[in-house]
Amino acid sequence: MSGVTLNNVIKRYGEVQVIHGVDLDIKDGEFCVFVGPSGCGKSTLLRMVAGLEETTEGAIHIGDRDVTRMDPSQRGVAMVFQTYALYPHMTVKDNMGFGLKMNGHPKPEIESKVAEATRILKLEPYLDRKPAALSGGQRQRVSIGRAIVRGPEVFLFDEPLSNLDAELRVEMRVEIARLHKEIGATMIYVTHDQVEAMTLADKIVVLRLGVIEQVGAPMDLYRDPDNKFVAGFIGSPAMNFVSGTMTASGVDAPGLGGSFDGLVSSAYDGNTVSVGARPEHITLDPAGDSHTVEMTESLGGVSYAYLTSATGERIVVEERGDERTAEGATVGILIDTNRIFLFDGQTEKRIRT
Ligand code: ADP
Ligand code: MG
């Protein structure tokens, strides 16, 4: 098994550059998730690791092998796609063994590898079925099985759960986490879903427009984002942002109900800032009058209150438990100063206080 290293990796399609010099070190056995909005370059980067897209500049290593110009079949990777691409006329068992058969592996070896993948993925009851007689989740398990039998050093997943309905997606997410624990191989997993990223990853790589915005463990990105993009992308519902002014003693943020003393940064020389606060870190104060509750949504154990401040800025507040504040109510908001994030109004870089 092996880690994966990218050095100043660049991808151009003709004149158009879509990956802008990515440096990344994925350790042996790590579960690394590429996350970011549609079109940011996640699939392109993954396909470059797989060898399905040529790398325009830079180098890719798997373990200590330079694979940059290597054929996909030589790289020791196996990829699982969003569409399952199973052979419809073959049984589950034959679908899983087909690649090895084509490569001339002996029958007993194929049988034992398929049996092992069957056990790991709990596919015993379905071995003689054809894909048409399987649910979406079962089909995706078969395509993961096809990757397992190849015994790759690195597994590559490109949005493998996007075609499944919500319930199956949660179930398969847990399956994939279990698979990683059991096999222990290096995995790179692409998704636009920040919940999948948070729950699966050892390491998250947040991409935007072909550039890495930040790399880190899920909770490190949540607690300590480097910029407004990462702060807004990681966490659900998303972080609230209102405009603020930095003064000598703190920050004025009327959208969050007032000023916050002590939030000062000697390193910061601007004064227009974006002020961020997560919905789960704000509580409503029935005695206050800075905000109006426009709407609420109850999900059962938690509800969301959509507020408008006197200055016309909107924020979302999470309320725990099954009580919720009435729509139309006037409220104040309470938030711990150390739960507030500041970002430069222009560059959107984090201002650390
Ligand atoms: P993601 O997987 O994050 O949604 P992609 O990696 O598919 O994004 O695409 C990244 C960018 O590269 C997009 O702007 C896309 O339009 C562009 N792109 C992808 N494939 C090609 C191609 N074959 N030719 C030109 N541009 C492409
Ligand atoms: Mg994609």
Side-chain angles (χ1 to χ4, degrees):
M1 277 167 212
S2 329
V4 178
T5 313
L6 310 188
N7 290 111
N8 194 27
V9 162
I10 288 171
K11 177 68 184 177
R12 274 189 290 268
Y13 289 108
E15 298 285 282
V16 185
Q17 187 163 339
V18 298
I19 301 290
H20 299 269
V22 163
D23 288 305
L24 183 64
D25 197 6
I26 301 167
K27 294 194 169 50
D28 183 19
E30 202 162 44
F31 199 121
C32 177
V33 176
F34 295 170
V35 71
S38 181
C40 69
K42 306 178 293 294
S43 295
T44 303
L45 205 52
L46 193 75
R47 294 168 63 83
M48 287 161 83
V49 174
L52 300 173
E53 294 285 351
E54 200 178 305
T55 298
T56 314
E57 279 179 43
I60 301 175
H61 284 77
I62 296 179
D64 51 16
R65 296 178 301 136
D66 184 341
V67 302
T68 317
R69 305 282 162 231
M70 244 182 228
D71 198 67
S73 62
Q74 306 298 308
R75 294 189 181 203
V77 303
M79 191 145 162
V80 176
F81 299 90
Q82 178 176 345
T83 50
Y84 324 117
L86 301 176
Y87 299 106
H89 59 284
M90 281 183 204
T91 63
V92 165
K93 193 174 173 191
D94 291 344
N95 261 288
M96 288 198 282
F98 187 67
L100 294 181
K101 192 171 156 193
M102 289 307 285
N103 287 331
H105 289 255
K107 203 168 172 195
E109 183 199 330
I110 299 176
E111 301 241 316
S112 93
K113 286 193 167 150
V114 169
E116 174 69 358
T118 301
R119 183 190 62 75
I120 292 171
L121 294 164
K122 302 193 180 80
L123 282 168
E124 285 89 353
Y126 313 107
L127 279 179
D128 296 319
R129 288 200 201 171
K130 294 194 174 149
L134 299 174
S135 71
Q138 290 161 348
R139 286 179 207 168
Q140 193 54 294
R141 291 227 295 274
V142 177
S143 73
I144 293 170
R146 206 170 39 183
I148 293 174
V149 298
R150 298 181 49 196
E153 293 172 49
V154 182
F155 284 79
L156 306 173
F157 295 90
D158 193 352
E159 310 227 15
L161 309 187
S162 297
N163 280 0
L164 305 179
D165 62 39
E167 197 181 331
L168 261 180
R169 216 153 52 218
V170 174
E171 199 178 294
M172 281 301 291
R173 198 173 78 204
V174 175
E175 283 284 298
I176 289 176
R178 194 181 55 78
L179 178 73
H180 179 246
K181 271 212 181 75
E182 174 154 2
I183 299 186
T186 309
M187 295 188 175
I188 310 180
Y189 185 104
V190 162
T191 179
H192 61 271
D193 181 331
Q194 66 90 25
V195 176
E196 271 177 34
M198 287 299 283
T199 51
L200 286 171
D202 296 315
K203 174 189 274 176
I204 297 181
V205 177
V206 183
L207 288 163
R208 174 164 68 159
L209 299 171
V211 173
I212 293 183
E213 291 284 328
Q214 193 170 356
V215 178
M219 285 311 286
D220 290 343
L221 297 192
Y222 174 84
R223 289 197 193 101
D224 198 14
D226 282 342
N227 55 59
K228 189 175 170 182
F229 180 79
V230 173
F233 198 83
I234 301 290
S236 175
M239 185 183 283
N240 296 291
F241 297 106
V242 300
S243 60
T245 313
M246 221 165 187
T247 65
S249 58
V251 167
D252 276 333
L256 288 179
S259 29
F260 299 90
D261 287 345
L263 279 183
V264 288
S265 167
S266 55
Y268 186 65
D269 58 6
N271 74 340
T272 305
V273 293
S274 184
V275 184
R278 296 196 182 276
E280 57 272 37
H281 295 151
I282 303 174
T283 40
L284 297 183
D285 173 13
D289 62 0
S290 59
H291 290 73
T292 306
V293 180
E294 302 286 352
M295 197 186 83
T296 61
E297 278 176 347
S298 270
L299 274 63
V302 63
S303 59
Y304 300 112
Y306 293 82
L307 315 185
T308 306
S309 70
T311 50
E313 289 174 296
R314 287 160 188 270
I315 62 165
V316 182
V317 175
E318 180 177 304
E319 294 189 274
R320 290 266 149 203
D322 48 14
E323 294 298 321
R324 61 176 172 173
T325 306
E327 291 177 356
T330 302
V331 294
I333 64 175
L334 302 170
I335 173 162
D336 211 331
T337 302
N338 63 29
R339 292 293 199 180
I340 291 199
F341 294 84
L342 302 180
F343 305 92
D344 182 286
Q346 263 73 51
T347 65
E348 305 198 336
K349 286 212 170 73
R350 175 88 176 276
I351 304 163
R352 292 176 203 275
T353 53

